[in-house]
Amino acid sequence: MPSATALPPSARLTTALAAARTAGWLSRRLTGGGGRAIAGRTLMRLDPSAPRALAQGRRITLVTGTNGKTTTTAMLAAALGRQSRLVTNRDGANTPTGLVTTLAERGPETVVLEVDEGWLPWAVEVLKPVCVVLLNLSRDQLHRHPEVHRLANAWRQALTDVPLVVANADDPAIVWAADTAQQRIWVAAGQTWTQDSMVCPSCGDLLKRPGESWSSCACGFRRPTPAWSASDGSLRHHGQRVLLAPGVPGDVNLGNAALAVAAATAAGVEPTEAARAVGSVRDVAGRYAEFVRGRQTVRLFLAKNPAGWDAALRALAPSSASLVLAFNADGVDGRDPSWLYDVGFDRLAGRTVAVCGRRGTDMLVRLRLDGINPVGQFDTIDGALRALPSGPVDVVGNYTAFQEARRVLGHVA
């Protein structure tokens, strides 16, 4: 009997796909999980060339950035889904094992993939996308992607052979990285977090920021003229005005929606139709989901890093809802929570706030330094919710805290 390595490529891939399906099924039966991770690992172990083979002949669009990847991917998939069947990694599994599991769903030619920002060069090289959508670049947790310029440089080198990049014109690191692509569509998607883009990525000069623009006096690097601009609930493109009403809250999601519409339009979807599809996205893998818990209506937000927390707090600022801040430092959260001190919590003044999580004490101290005095610190999300009054409650958590809240609330929805 010949060994697996002796099998021809097509037979090897067929065998690997069958083994991956079996592994995923067993994982679901034994653990109750989705089984996608073990399926992807099995497929990659048995046939390392599977991603390249499964990508051949397909129109693949990649979406990446520090924040907003899952939401923008869902928006773009909704828009492109109006004209053709597609597959996408709706669960947010965005490293090679997750990507190859999605690609294993054979059939649809159109594929929309969220990609972890560190894995973008690999994905561009192996999957040969027709389009890459670039959202933003900022520090993530301190254990992953803390050096924005290093990541932007890796992107810049990887994008040279990409036919089209749809990119945020308001983020200097994004513009610098995208500038090597064969064709670029610039979108004024906004940038409220500027702490990680104070200097020019090209020459190191301090960037000037008059109004909505930015530029470097030393090398002339400056914000490009956007073809698409989002503001005041509408999107403007070459004199055309399209109503844009994202189904998810926050100014940052207006920018994400604009990027999704621009990318969908470049793929042939009519702008008004794309905007309508984007507006239909209201719950993205638990983000912004609402649950009824007794007399409380609970809405979930995910915030993983300084820019993400800043965006979430901005989205919540006009609300009078009670608030739970859930904070852990486990695994993917990163063990060092010192970046909390880069986030301004003073905009929560006047809100009724409860704190929970295994690193809730760090959050409690941080809030008090900004003059916010929570009603208490609790061991669990249930305990925090019980301490708050009836009515609307917003829950903001970093990754593991968010997933815990989602599991708890999902059982009582």
Side-chain angles (χ1 to χ4, degrees):
M1 179 176 174
S3 66
T5 55
L7 292 172
S10 58
R12 182 174 185 176
L13 178 59
T14 300
T15 301
L17 286 168
R21 285 192 291 269
T22 301
W25 178 81
L26 285 172
S27 177
R28 289 191 295 274
R29 290 294 300 269
L30 295 173
T31 69
R36 292 175 64 84
I38 188 65
R41 284 196 291 270
T42 301
L43 182 53
M44 294 279 283
R45 177 64 64 88
L46 295 177
D47 187 357
S49 67
R52 194 181 301 272
L54 294 171
Q56 287 182 0
R58 306 174 86 170
R59 293 184 58 81
I60 297 176
T61 298
L62 306 179
V63 179
T64 196
T66 307
N67 293 303
K69 295 184 290 292
T70 306
T71 298
T72 308
T73 299
M75 290 175 171
L76 180 56
L80 292 180
R82 296 295 179 99
Q83 69 175 10
S84 63
R85 291 178 59 242
L86 58 81
V87 293
T88 183
N89 50 344
R90 300 183 190 280
D91 59 353
N94 59 20
T95 59
T97 54
L99 301 180
V100 75
T101 303
T102 301
L103 289 167
E105 299 178 33
R106 308 291 290 274
E109 177 184 311
T110 303
V111 183
V112 182
L113 295 174
E114 166 191 345
V115 179
D116 177 87
E117 54 270 37
W119 283 102
L120 179 66
W122 175 89
V124 167
E125 167 62 24
V126 173
L127 306 183
K128 308 299 182 186
V130 297
C131 177
V132 176
V133 182
L134 302 181
L135 310 178
N136 50 68
L137 267 179
S138 64
R139 284 169 294 147
D140 209 350
Q141 301 94 355
L142 294 180
H143 73 291
R144 64 187 302 273
H145 312 322
E147 295 293 338
V148 173
H149 183 75
R150 181 177 181 180
L151 199 55
N153 187 55
W155 286 11
R156 182 177 171 88
Q157 295 179 49
L159 293 171
T160 55
D161 294 328
V162 173
L164 175 65
V165 167
V166 178
N168 183 0
D170 293 321
D171 188 323
I174 290 291
V175 173
W176 189 69
D179 202 42
T180 59
Q182 296 176 14
Q183 183 182 354
R184 298 162 299 282
I185 295 176
W186 302 114
V187 181
Q191 187 194 35
T192 57
W193 180 265
T194 60
Q195 292 191 33
D196 297 315
S197 57
M198 303 297 289
V199 300
C200 174
S202 178
C203 69
D205 182 36
L206 185 67
L207 286 175
K208 314 298 186 296
R209 290 182 176 271
E212 296 181 351
S213 189
W214 51 261
S215 64
S216 166
C217 292
C219 69
F221 182 63
R222 63 182 61 251
R223 178 182 183 261
T225 302
W228 297 80
S229 298
S231 64
D232 301 325
S234 65
L235 189 58
R236 291 173 174 79
H237 175 57
H238 296 323
Q240 180 183 7
R241 181 174 178 271
V242 178
L243 293 179
L244 189 61
V248 291
D251 288 342
V252 68
N253 281 320
L254 181 63
N256 291 337
L259 286 156
V261 170
T265 301
V269 182
E270 198 275 327
T272 301
E273 184 70 12
R276 189 178 299 115
V278 162
S280 70
V281 175
R282 300 182 181 279
D283 176 353
V284 183
R287 298 158 177 81
Y288 322 111
E290 291 191 355
F291 303 87
V292 176
R293 183 183 185 276
R295 295 184 177 181
Q296 293 174 325
T297 301
V298 183
R299 183 173 58 162
L300 282 180
F301 289 80
L302 172 65
K304 301 179 292 184
N305 47 52
W309 275 90
D310 182 75
L313 298 181
R314 287 175 183 273
L316 296 172
S319 175
S320 59
S322 300
L323 183 62
V324 174
L325 301 181
F327 195 71
N328 292 341
D330 304 337
V332 294
D333 300 322
R335 297 179 61 186
D336 185 348
S338 61
W339 52 262
L340 274 178
Y341 290 85
D342 291 336
V343 182
F345 289 89
D346 54 319
R347 57 172 55 95
L348 298 180
R351 298 284 292 272
T352 302
V353 180
V355 171
C356 67
R358 286 177 288 282
R359 295 295 288 267
T361 300
D362 294 275
M363 178 63 74
L364 189 68
V365 171
R366 178 68 192 93
L367 291 173
R368 287 177 172 167
L369 287 173
D370 266 2
I372 310 298
N373 293 302
V375 298
Q377 178 183 348
F378 304 89
D379 293 333
T380 65
I381 182 71
D382 269 332
L385 289 170
R386 282 195 296 268
L388 297 174
S390 301
V393 181
D394 291 324
V395 176
V396 185
N398 59 345
Y399 192 79
T400 62
F402 169 84
Q403 296 298 348
E404 288 169 11
R406 189 182 175 193
R407 286 193 294 271
V408 169
L409 293 167
H411 290 297
V412 296

